[in-house]
Every structure is written in structure tokens, then in C-alpha cells.
């Protein structure tokens, strides 16, 4: 089993005029092999829905778990269970956040253009949050659902459109948090609960979608609070905590035209201000239409297209579809059924798991062998040092003995003179 060659997909779909950089790029061979192994392991137990049969999705879970395949699988399955328990698809399709405008006024936040790489730019003015008013116009539960719906929109719409515009694969966000005025005094229990729940969702179920976090206008009050906030955040979250002289650093990542004027940029959006607009290429009807034509119904979805990786280097590769047509019955057979078929020359789930365990044991053996070699080298160095020290000690003893012998000889001579 393998992901289809990107070149084949682009040739077959004549309507798609996207640069191959969007879906291809340079992939690390070891990462490709690990993604393929995780994919096969999930497919073997019928635990990989078509929606998530995506190279980059699986890669994100692997990265979040340090490329430990079994831990990545566990995290992936926890994500699927969470989506089912919380009816995430229903939230994405049906949830109506009627209090959107009211929430924006007491909690200024939103997407605003893209960074220099083409990633969506997300901005929050955390220091201006009026939490008491926020809890009057919404609830923590409804705000969390709104956050989930925004994450789903980012993955299904913002990333695909940004990829079309940037002509490269986009799958992460650059964020700016303006914390001017925020400190321990106004970070209440409700705020902590909401922040902790959102961080849990983002880290566990949407891993590796944050490219860079810039925390600006960080005064002494926030720096004390930051020690508390870090406890809720994953260690892999990249954050640059900056004071008031942040502009030059931020402009390295974001063009001034995509930066609101209150952050030192040149953008002054009308009708409610920059953070009410959801400004970005994803609001352009032509770009949305082009995205749907390229990746929508009747063609390969964006996730399917971006998931494909040319992997001719893998032996025994075949098409990645989770369903194949049985030539005798003309009925679609799932991969789980095919795995039980004696005619399919692929490993069973049990064998795949055994192979993965064997690979990890082999890796551990190599690590221990390397440590043993280093220890042996260190031991040889210590032996040489010990020999040098032994030589020095012998020399000092000889000097001491020679000195004592000379003193004794002098004393004898002095005694003889006194007798005479």
C-alpha cells in the first residue's frame, strides 16, 4: 500500500493548475516511512477514516509524539473518539454562534491576512478582554464549540485557499497575542478554565498547527503570569515573548500591510475594525470557488490531494485507496476484508505491529551500542589519565624519598663532626 504519486494525480486532473509545490515539496525519507507504517497499522485495524487518510495529518501526530508510532496511533485514536463523543462534524456543519459580534467586542480576536510565507495570521488582543461581559453574552461551553468550529474552518477552508494563493502546502498558523494590560489580577478562574480547555483541544486534537506564537507588549505583570500559562501549554509550542519593542521582530514574519495599525502596521479595516473582518484570501468568492473546483466534490479533496506522496522507494507499494473492487463480485471490498484475503500479499495487522516493535527494539539496541562505544572511549581516556597520575605520583614519591635520604645523610655527617 502507498500514497499515490502526486505527478499522476496532477496529470489525471486536468482542471487542477496548482503548482506541485502545494502538495509535494521535499519530504524526509525516514518521515515518509514512519507515516507509511502508521498508516498501514491504522488501516489494518480499520481505524483510518477516509477523511483523515492524509499524509500531513498523520505526520502531525507523529511529530507531536516524537515519531513514536504506537504513541502517535494512540493519540490519533483518542482524537477520533473525541470527535465522535463531542459530535465535532455536527459542530463544524451546524453550530451557529449568534453572539459572534458581541463576543468580538469584548474579546477582540480573529484572522487577519497571512504571514510572509502565506500562512493564516491570527491575532488576539488578550489584554483588552472584558471577561465579565464575555460571560454575559456567551458561556465557556459555547465559546469552546465556537473555537472548534473555527479550527475546522481553518483546516477545511483557510489552509486550502492559502495553499492555492501561496502555491505551496500550508498547514499551520502564525499567531500574535497582544497582552498589554494582562496580569495575574485579571486572569480569573473562568479565564484559566477556558484557556486550559482550548489548549487541551488544540494540543491533543489539532497538533502541530501552530507555526509561531508572538506574545507582544509583555510587561512585568504578564511575565509573572507567563510562568502559570506555560504549565497549560505543550513544550513544542514555539513562543516569542516580546516587550514593547516587538515591531522589527514581527515584521520579519508579517508584511506591514497585513498588520493592523494598532500593532504598528498599515491596515485600517473599516466596519468594526481589523479583527471583526476575518480578512484573508479565504473570504474571496473566486478563491473559494477555485478551491472547491480543485479539491471539492467529484474530484480529489484537498486532504486527499495534499496527502499523496511519491514513494516508489517503498517495496511492494500499491494504490492507497481503502476500498478496492473485487473482480469476481464487482463489489467494493474494504482493506480490512482484503487483509484477510490469502491473495493479498501484505502483512496482517499483527505482523505490522510486530515489525514496528522490532524496529523500535532495533533502534534502542543501536542507541545502547552507541552509548556503550562512548562509555568505552571514556573508560580508555580515564585509564590513560590514571596511568599518567600513577606516573606523577611515583615521580613525586621518588623526589620525596631522595629528599629524605639527603636529609638523613646530612644529619649523620653532622653527628660525626660533633663526636670528633
Amino acid at each position: 500500500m502507498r500514497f499515490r504519486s502526486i505527478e499522476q494525480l496532477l496529470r489525471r486532473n486536468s482542471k487542477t493548475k496548482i503548482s506541485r509545490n502545494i502538495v509535494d515539496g521535499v519530504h524526509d525519507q525516514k518521515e515518509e516511512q514512519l507515516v507509511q507504517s502508521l498508516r498501514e497499522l491504522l488501516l489494518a485495524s480499520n481505524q483510518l477514516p477516509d477523511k483523515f487518510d492524509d499524509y500531513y495529518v498523520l505526520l502531525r501526530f507523529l511529530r507531536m509524539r516524537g515519531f513514536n508510532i504506537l504513541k502517535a496511533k494512540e493519540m490519533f485514536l483518542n482524537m477520533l473518539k473525541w470527535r465522535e463523543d463531542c459530535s465535532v462534524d455536527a459542530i463544524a456543519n451546524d453550530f451557529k454562534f449568534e453572539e459572534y459580534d458581541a463576543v468580538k467586542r469584548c474579546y477582540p480576536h480573529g484572522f487577519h491576512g497571512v504571514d510572509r510565507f502565506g500562512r493564516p495570521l491570527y491575532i488576539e488582543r488578550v489584554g483588552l478582554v472584558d471577561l465579565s461581559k464575555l460571560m454575559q453574552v456567551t458561556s465557556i461551553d459555547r465559546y469552546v464549540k465556537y473555537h472548534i468550529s473555527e479550527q475546522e474552518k481553518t483546516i477545511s477552508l483557510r489552509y486550502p485557499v492559502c495553499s492555492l494563493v501561496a502555491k505551496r502546502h500550508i498547514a499551520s498558523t502564525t499567531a500574535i497575542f497582544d497582552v498589554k494590560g494582562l496580569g495575574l489580577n485579571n486572569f480569573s478562574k473562568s479565564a484559566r478554565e477556558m484557556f486550559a480547555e482550548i489548549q487541551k483541544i488544540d494540543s491533543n486534537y489539532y497538533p502541530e498547527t501552530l507555526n509561531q506564537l508572538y506574545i507582544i507588549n509583555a510587561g512585568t505583570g504578564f511575565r509573572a503570569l507567563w510562568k502559570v500559562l506555560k504549565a497549560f501549554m505543550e513544550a513544542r509550542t514555539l513562543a516569542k515573548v516580546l516587550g514593547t519593542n516587538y515591531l522589527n521582530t514581527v515584521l520579519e514574519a508579517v508584511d506591514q500591510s497585513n498588520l493592523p495599525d494598532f500593532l504598528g502596521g498599515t491596515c485600517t479595516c473599516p466596519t468594526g475594525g481589523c479583527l471583526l473582518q476575518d480578512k484573508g484570501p479565504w473570504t474571496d468568492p473566486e478563491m473559494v470557488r477555485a478551491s472547491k473546483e480543485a479539491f471539492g466534490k467529484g474530484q480529489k479533496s484537498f486532504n486527499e490531494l495534499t496527502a499523496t506522496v511519491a514513494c516508489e522507494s517503498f517495496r511492494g507499494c500499491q494504490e492507497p485507496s481503502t476500498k478496492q473492487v473485487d473482480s469476481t463480485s464487482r463489489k467494493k471490498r474494504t482493506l480490512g476484508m482484503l487483509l484477510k484475503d490469502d491473495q493479498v500479499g501484505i502483512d496482517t495487522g499483527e505482523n505490522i505491529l510486530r515489525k514496528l516493535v522490532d524496529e523500535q527494539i532495533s533502534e534502542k539496541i543501536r542507541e545502547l551500542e552507541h552509548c556503550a562505544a562512548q562509555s568505552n572511549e571514556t573508560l580508555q581516556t580515564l585509564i590513560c589519565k590514571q596511568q599518567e597520575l600513577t606516573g606523577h605520583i611515583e615521580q613525586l614519591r621518588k623526589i620525596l624519598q631522595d629528599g629524605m635520604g639527603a636529609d638523613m645523610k646530612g644529619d649523620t655527617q653532622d653527628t660525626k663532626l660533633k663526636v670528633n
Side-chain angles (χ1 to χ4, degrees), residues 7-25:
E7 291 184 356
Q8 284 182 327
L9 284 174
L10 293 179
R11 287 194 191 112
R12 290 176 187 175
N13 191 350
S14 59
K15 294 181 181 179
T16 303
K17 297 180 180 179
I18 310 160
S19 167
R20 63 175 293 170
N21 289 334
I22 299 176
V23 291
D24 194 356

Side-chain angles (χ1 to χ4, degrees), residues 288-300:
V288 174
R289 181 186 59 79
S291 174
K292 288 181 179 178
E293 284 185 0
F295 309 116
K297 291 182 179 180
Q299 302 180 34
K300 289 295 172 186

Side-chain angles (χ1 to χ4, degrees), residues 259-327:
L259 205 60
D261 59 349
F262 57 80
L263 295 181
T266 59
C267 185
T268 54
C269 291
T271 318
C274 289
L275 299 188
L276 195 62
Q277 305 303 311
D278 193 25
K279 176 183 175 181
W282 51 86
T283 61
D284 183 339
E286 288 299 313
M287 291 306 303
V288 174
R289 181 186 59 79
S291 174
K292 288 181 179 178
E293 284 185 0
F295 309 116
K297 291 182 179 180
Q299 302 180 34
K300 289 295 172 186
S301 70
F302 173 78
N303 282 344
E304 288 176 302
L305 196 57
T306 55
T308 56
V309 176
C311 60
E312 281 74 8
S313 59
F314 295 123
R315 297 180 180 178
C317 290
Q318 63 182 40
E319 295 298 319
S321 174
T322 57
K323 293 183 179 181
Q324 296 187 5
V325 178
D326 188 320
S327 59

Side-chain angles (χ1 to χ4, degrees), residues 105-161:
R105 291 189 187 96
C106 53
Y107 185 177
H109 69 280
F111 285 89
H112 189 272
V114 297
D115 68 8
R116 293 185 185 274
F117 190 84
R119 305 179 189 92
L121 177 64
Y122 176 77
I123 300 171
E124 284 193 13
R125 303 188 77 177
V126 189
L128 296 182
V129 176
D130 186 337
L131 196 63
S132 60
K133 185 178 286 187
L134 179 65
M135 290 297 103
Q136 291 174 10
V137 299
T138 191
S139 64
I140 292 178
D141 179 66
R142 283 187 61 78
Y143 187 86
V144 168
K145 287 182 178 178
Y146 158 69
H147 179 78
I148 292 171
S149 69
E150 284 294 295
Q151 284 284 44
E152 292 293 303
K153 181 179 178 180
T154 297
I155 289 173
S156 64
L157 176 63
R158 293 187 179 105
Y159 289 160
V161 173

Side-chain angles (χ1 to χ4, degrees), residues 19-204:
S19 167
R20 63 175 293 170
N21 289 334
I22 299 176
V23 291
D24 194 356
V26 178
H27 298 284
D28 181 87
Q29 187 175 2
K30 186 175 181 181
E31 287 183 353
E32 287 185 8
Q33 292 172 344
L34 290 168
V35 169
Q36 186 70 11
S37 297
L38 175 59
R39 182 175 183 268
E40 291 179 357
L41 185 60
L42 291 166
L43 285 172
S45 52
N46 283 325
Q47 293 176 308
L48 182 58
D50 290 346
K51 181 177 180 178
F52 300 106
D53 189 1
D54 181 316
Y55 175 83
Y56 292 102
V57 168
L58 299 180
L59 181 60
R60 287 195 285 110
F61 281 88
L62 280 166
R63 283 177 174 166
M64 196 66 178
R65 288 295 176 257
F67 290 95
N68 184 304
I69 294 174
L70 298 180
K71 289 183 178 180
K73 179 191 174 185
E74 180 184 11
M75 185 182 184
F76 182 85
L77 295 180
N78 287 339
M79 179 271 293
L80 294 182
K81 185 176 186 305
W82 169 77
R83 292 184 70 89
E84 182 179 358
D85 293 344
C86 296
S87 303
V88 172
D89 289 337
I91 292 174
N93 296 325
D94 305 324
F95 179 71
K96 304 298 181 185
F97 197 56
E98 292 88 357
E99 59 268 41
Y100 178 84
D101 288 347
V103 166
K104 288 271 188 171
R105 291 189 187 96
C106 53
Y107 185 177
H109 69 280
F111 285 89
H112 189 272
V114 297
D115 68 8
R116 293 185 185 274
F117 190 84
R119 305 179 189 92
L121 177 64
Y122 176 77
I123 300 171
E124 284 193 13
R125 303 188 77 177
V126 189
L128 296 182
V129 176
D130 186 337
L131 196 63
S132 60
K133 185 178 286 187
L134 179 65
M135 290 297 103
Q136 291 174 10
V137 299
T138 191
S139 64
I140 292 178
D141 179 66
R142 283 187 61 78
Y143 187 86
V144 168
K145 287 182 178 178
Y146 158 69
H147 179 78
I148 292 171
S149 69
E150 284 294 295
Q151 284 284 44
E152 292 293 303
K153 181 179 178 180
T154 297
I155 289 173
S156 64
L157 176 63
R158 293 187 179 105
Y159 289 160
V161 173
C162 285
S163 296
L164 285 172
V165 174
K167 295 182 173 62
R168 57 168 69 96
H169 179 72
I170 301 295
S172 61
T173 301
T174 294
I176 300 174
F177 284 8
D178 183 358
V179 297
K180 185 177 181 180
L182 183 66
L184 285 169
N185 294 333
N186 52 7
F187 196 64
S188 65
K189 181 181 178 182
S190 298
R192 290 195 300 272
E193 289 176 355
M194 189 169 71
F195 181 82
E197 182 63 22
I198 288 174
Q199 282 301 122
K200 174 186 173 183
I201 289 170
D202 291 350
S203 297
N204 293 336

